[in-house]
Amino acid sequence: MKIITVCGSYKFKKEMTEITEKMALKGNCMLTPIELSRSKKEDYTEKEASMIDKMHKEKIRLADAILVVNVGGYIGSSTKSEIELAKSLNKEILYYTDLKD
């Protein structure tokens, strides 16, 4: 069993949910981004947004690997920084586009 943190844009929420379930059913412990109740990141205060970001980065530190949900090859700036953090911590990096089939 691996502990895997899911990373990617919220615009791919459907794909995140599907791949998280698929990976969990293969015996992995999946750490996901929190469900945001507000429609966009700008709806959060700077302090709240910072806390959300710090919590997600802590999930990356706890994980054995990250799973980047890169639908159509899209990787945004936040996800790029999460990949760099994972690389600096020598975490395995998995990509949705390699696993979806």
Side-chain angles (χ1 to χ4, degrees), residues 39-86:
S39 60
K40 53 189 182 228
K41 196 173 187 177
E42 294 79 28
D43 292 338
Y44 292 88
T45 66
E46 188 175 318
K47 184 177 178 182
E48 289 170 333
S50 176
M51 185 181 303
I52 290 167
D53 184 58
K54 285 179 186 176
M55 285 187 290
H56 191 67
K57 287 185 172 146
E58 187 59 30
K59 290 177 185 179
I60 293 169
R61 286 181 186 88
L62 293 169
D64 301 310
I66 65 167
L67 170 56
V68 179
V69 181
N70 61 329
V71 177
Y74 177 82
I75 297 174
S77 60
S78 291
T79 304
K80 283 179 186 173
S81 72
E82 293 163 359
I83 292 168
E84 290 306 312
L85 173 61

Side-chain angles (χ1 to χ4, degrees), residues 2-9 11-33 66-71 93-101:
K2 287 184 185 176
I3 300 171
I4 303 171
T5 298
V6 180
C7 300
S9 172
K11 65 181 164 184
F12 303 128
K13 183 180 177 199
K14 177 181 176 268
E15 292 86 350
M16 281 184 175
T17 301
E18 290 170 356
I19 195 71
T20 296
E21 178 184 46
K22 181 178 179 180
M23 296 297 287
L25 292 172
K26 288 183 177 186
N28 297 291
C29 177
M30 303 300 291
L31 303 176
T32 59
I66 65 167
L67 170 56
V68 179
V69 181
N70 61 329
V71 177
I93 301 171
L94 307 167
Y95 291 90
Y96 172 81
T97 51
D98 295 335
L99 301 174
K100 67 178 183 172
D101 297 323

